Amino acid sequence: MKKKLVVKSMIVGIILLCIGASSVTAVNIQPSQPMGRGILYVGGGGPGTYTSIQEAIDNSTSGDTIFVYAGTYAENIDTKLKKITLMGENRESTFIEGQTTDPVVRIGNSDTTIEGFFMKGSSDEIILQVATLCEDVYITNNIMENGIQGISLSVPTSRINIIGNTILNNVYVGILIQTSTYTLIQGNTITANGKQGIDLSLNSNHNSILNNTITGNGEEGIAVGGLASTENTIEGNIIGDNKLGIRFTTGAGSNEIRSNRIEYSAMEGLLLSSSSENTIEMNNFIDNKRQATFKISSRNVWDANYWSNWIGVKLSAPIFQKFPKVILGGVRMNFDKNPALVPYNITGAV
């Protein structure tokens, strides 16, 4: 009797093992689609994918990632109150093309990331807009072109990170920042915008503009204005072939302009207007129509900049290399007492 029970038990065990193996095989051959929440897919033609980005956003929950396959998506999208990651397959081939006068992309909440898209607008569309009071937003490795503005932070925001994007051919401003703090603009290429490459204004402070290439813009490469636009850092940028390189206005003071290559401006390389207590050091001023000047500005510190028109560069005799560089501001003068003999190696966006 015991032998019969053992045999039956072995047979039942073998059957259960076979069923388990079949279940495992069934799971393994399923297509790579999300189980429940986590990752949602758009495009690509596979089963379970969405056909529009907005549809995927509407069906997502905060914390989800939406992966968008290469293709053209003719829509304006809004993340609303979702805290999500939007990821394009390749920024050269994953297009979002706006269809209305709304922003092509609107980020509506903090803790949101958008990466890897080519966003196209029209002359009455903002390409990407960040809503008020958003924090810890990441806008990385996108292309944005042909809007009225590239990126708009026109309301109070904080800790917005704009990294590694190409922003070009917008009617007015490449990046507009107003009443914002601790914004990081790093490693972007900002070119051929009708007005400013970057416009930082209306009491924006503690922002960093680092290692960008800002060229060929219709007005200023970088404009900073506003009485409380203070303690901003502009460092490591190539700012070239703009009408004016950098302009500070309306009381923007206590900022640092350090280690930038400011060159070939049609007007001034640097203009300080009603702007005091700024530090300008270790920059290259190369072949601007007027290298630098100031108006109604005081207590600015100029130190160790390279000036392509300094007498110590043009004439090699040691006596000339002891001369300071004079910066004229109407009938007043400032001095760089330690001008550099050779330009610094500044690479901009890499």
Side-chain angles (χ1 to χ4, degrees):
M1 186 68 180
K2 289 183 180 180
K3 289 183 178 180
K4 289 182 178 180
L5 286 173
V6 171
V7 171
K8 286 182 179 180
S9 299
M10 291 177 63
I11 292 169
V12 170
I14 292 167
I15 291 170
L16 289 173
L17 284 171
C18 291
I19 292 171
S22 299
S23 299
V24 171
T25 304
V27 170
N28 289 339
I29 63 172
Q30 291 300 310
S32 179
Q33 298 299 332
M35 297 183 66
R37 296 295 180 181
I39 303 177
L40 291 77
Y41 296 92
V42 180
T49 61
Y50 294 91
T51 57
S52 79
I53 301 170
Q54 190 63 53
E55 183 185 12
I57 292 170
D58 293 343
N59 284 280
S60 69
T61 58
S62 289
D64 285 350
T65 294
I66 297 174
F67 181 86
V68 182
Y69 288 101
T72 298
Y73 301 87
E75 55 182 317
N76 297 66
I77 67 172
D78 188 343
T79 69
K80 301 178 182 177
L81 296 179
K82 308 290 180 71
K83 297 183 177 184
I84 56 177
T85 295
L86 290 170
M87 183 174 294
E89 182 177 5
N90 186 311
R91 77 174 197 165
E92 301 288 345
S93 56
T94 310
F95 297 93
I96 306 174
E97 298 186 354
Q99 302 297 298
T100 72
T101 57
D102 294 330
V104 176
V105 176
R106 179 181 178 274
I107 293 176
N109 207 345
S110 303
D111 304 305
T112 298
T113 296
I114 182 165
E115 177 180 351
F117 291 94
F118 196 137
M119 307 174 209
K120 291 185 176 182
S122 64
S123 60
D124 52 6
E125 286 178 292
I126 294 169
I127 300 295
L128 188 148
Q129 183 182 67
V130 179
T132 187
L133 302 181
C134 284
E135 299 179 343
D136 299 310
V137 170
Y138 287 83
I139 303 163
T140 61
N141 193 33
N142 303 283
I143 300 172
M144 307 173 195
E145 71 169 10
N146 294 342
I148 193 168
Q149 297 172 8
I151 297 175
S152 177
L153 280 60
S154 60
V155 289
T157 58
S158 183
R159 300 193 302 275
I160 309 300
N161 302 279
I162 302 170
I163 302 170
N165 303 281
T166 297
I167 303 167
L168 71 163
N169 293 329
N170 295 288
V171 175
Y172 292 115
V173 184
I175 302 175
L176 175 66
I177 301 170
Q178 296 178 330
T179 323
S180 296
T181 59
Y182 297 101
T183 304
L184 173 63
I185 303 172
Q186 184 173 23
N188 303 281
T189 298
I190 305 166
T191 186
N193 298 287
K195 297 292 185 181
Q196 294 78 22
I198 299 172
D199 186 349
L200 182 74
S201 60
L202 292 183
N203 307 333
S204 295
N205 56 77
H206 297 286
N207 301 289
S208 299
I209 302 173
L210 310 177
N211 303 110
N212 303 280
T213 297
I214 305 168
T215 58
N217 298 287
E219 297 293 336
E220 299 90 346
I222 300 173
V224 180
L227 290 174
S229 290
T230 61
E231 298 184 68
N232 299 293
T233 299
I234 300 172
E235 183 173 347
N237 304 282
I238 294 175
I239 305 167
D241 295 297
N242 305 286
K243 184 175 180 180
L244 197 153
I246 301 174
R247 186 203 299 262
F248 281 12
T249 59
T250 58
S254 301
N255 299 288
E256 296 185 355
I257 304 172
R258 180 186 300 114
S259 299
N260 302 282
R261 197 168 93 200
I262 305 168
E263 58 191 11
Y264 311 126
S265 303
M267 294 175 62
E268 290 86 359
L270 172 61
L271 171 59
L272 303 178
S273 181
S274 302
S275 181
S276 299
E277 300 181 0
N278 300 288
T279 299
I280 305 101
E281 62 182 6
M282 300 178 69
N283 301 282
N284 295 336
F285 289 93
I286 299 173
D287 294 339
N288 301 284
K289 184 173 183 181
R290 183 187 290 182
Q291 302 279 43
T293 189
F294 59 94
K295 308 177 192 177
I296 320 175
S297 301
S298 61
R299 302 184 302 281
N300 294 298
V301 176
W302 309 78
D303 187 50
N305 299 284
Y306 173 82
W307 309 84
S308 63
N309 63 343
W310 174 50
I311 191 170
V313 169
K314 292 184 173 292
L315 301 174
S316 60
I319 188 171
F320 296 114
Q321 294 173 2
K322 295 180 180 180
F323 282 35
K325 173 70 171 89
V326 178
I327 301 103
L328 295 174
V331 296
R332 300 182 61 195
M333 291 185 290
N334 286 177
F335 298 94
D336 183 341
K337 295 181 180 179
N338 303 291
L341 282 170
V342 295
Y344 300 98
N345 181 25
I346 299 164
T347 58
V350 292

